[in-house]
Amino acid sequence: MKFEELPSPCYIVDEGLLDKNLKILNGVMKRTGCKILLAQKAFSMYTMYPLIGKYLSGTTASGLYEAILGYEEMGKENHIFSPAYREDEIDEIISLCDHIIFNSFSQLEKFKEKVLQAGKKVGLRINPECSTQVGHAIYDPCVPGSRFGVTPKKDFRPYLLEGVSGLHFHTLCQQNSNDLETTLKVVEEKFGPWLSQIEWINFGGGHYITNEDYNIQLLETCIERMKNKYGLEVYLEPGEAVALNAGYLATTVLDTHQNGIDTAILDTSATCHMPDVLEMPYRPPLFGSGEVGEKEFLYRLGGQTCLTGDTIGDYTFDQPLKSGDRLVFGNMAVYTMVKNTTFNGMPLPAIAIIDKDGEYHIIREFSYHDFKIRLS
Ligand SMILES: *Cc1c(COP(=O)(O)O)cnc(C)c1O
């Protein structure tokens, strides 16, 4: 099928670009012997799991349903972390996952024996209290008062580490390996004595490995250091880096009007279909457009919802926009289809792929049923 034949709006994942990212990640695995997992919370397009599973070691989950999905659709290593597990879910989680990571000593005491009896690995999330990100407090698990991980000073109870085979930290978001290096130094300072007692360490996600300016060499040095100094198996669990820049959101202009600024109303919505645009916030790339001041015709792009703030950003174009124009946003594979909603009764975008031959295939389309089924 051709691009023009796709429904609108439509997420389109580019198989060739995904493959390119996976080869970069696989290169790190091959050269260092580390294991890389897909953090499903960023990208759960399971049609692609067979391809992802050819390169990566498995999946990691943030909750029961992701654990089931990883088990069913990839069937390789399956890890899970949750700030707190429910009594009524833990048995199923243990049956599906091989590494179960706890967030506190009380959770560890409650469930550790069950995990060990099932022959599965127990991990503990640590909080090195080392903030390396600026300006994104909602994405910084090291902020004061954070609910994530055990801190080194307050109630760290090393005698409870028996049976714990690994430590996990996750402190980064879209960051380069110099911030990983900084964090690792602090982890060594604060948790050093226990690093030689365990078997594995998980560096979490937030590594922007497939981004242009990422320093892969330094990442590999960090991995080698933990392997050689402490004899540890090293895991990474990036989400965003797996499908970074490997997808699009194609949309159509429905109308344009003027109120001090020209506005174009699209058949896609920031709040429904790309919520991180508002939450992060950020301005997604849009093919054929320019920054404000760069091209002649300026438009504020907005969605069909009633939310005043449902705007995607201000963009400039060479031609005036008109009803029926197709626009294509870039970097729309990650944190989009996993987070979308039908707020305002909006339809969900279809999901398609573009294969390596440039052919488009619709994988799924949604309807009124998908809106209704979540309500009662
Ligand atoms: C969010 C998260 C990830 C993935 O993060 P990315 O920024 O998408 O790489 C991995 N591990 C944990 C524990 C997370 O919370």
Side-chain angles (χ1 to χ4, degrees), residues 275-295:
D276 273 5
V277 165
L278 303 181
E279 221 173 90
M280 187 103 183
Y282 78 104
R283 180 182 182 277
L286 172 60
F287 290 93
S289 76
E291 300 291 329
V292 174
E294 196 180 329
K295 292 175 185 267

Side-chain angles (χ1 to χ4, degrees), residues 104-113 157 159-160:
S104 68
F105 281 106
S106 46
Q107 282 267 300
L108 199 58
E109 281 187 283
K110 200 167 171 186
F111 296 124
K112 177 172 82 175
E113 279 316 312
R157 289 177 279 170
Y159 58 94
L160 285 177

Side-chain angles (χ1 to χ4, degrees), residues 39 41-42 81 125 168 170 172-173 204-207 237-241 335:
K41 76 161 196 246
F81 163 78
R125 178 160 174 176
H168 174 290
H170 168 73
L172 307 179
C173 178
H207 315 276
E237 47 180 36
E240 187 155 5
Y335 293 110

Side-chain angles (χ1 to χ4, degrees), residues 202-213:
N202 187 323
F203 292 176
H207 315 276
Y208 227 17
I209 304 170
T210 49
N211 199 38
E212 256 169 19
D213 67 351

Side-chain angles (χ1 to χ4, degrees), residues 37-43 60-62 80-82 101 125 139 141 148 168-175 202-208 236-242 334-335:
L37 309 167
L38 164 70
Q40 295 177 93
K41 76 161 196 246
F43 185 67
T60 188
S62 306
I80 187 166
F81 163 78
S82 174
I101 295 149
R125 178 160 174 176
Y139 293 110
F148 295 115
H168 174 290
F169 66 85
H170 168 73
T171 65
L172 307 179
C173 178
Q174 298 186 337
Q175 280 165 277
N202 187 323
F203 292 176
H207 315 276
Y208 227 17
L236 305 180
E237 47 180 36
E240 187 155 5
V242 174
V334 291
Y335 293 110

Side-chain angles (χ1 to χ4, degrees), residues 253-258 262-265 299 320-323 325:
V253 176
L254 299 176
D255 192 21
T256 59
H257 70 93
Q258 237 287 339
D262 282 311
T263 291
I265 311 290
Y299 288 89
L321 292 182
K322 57 182 190 317
S323 166
D325 285 351

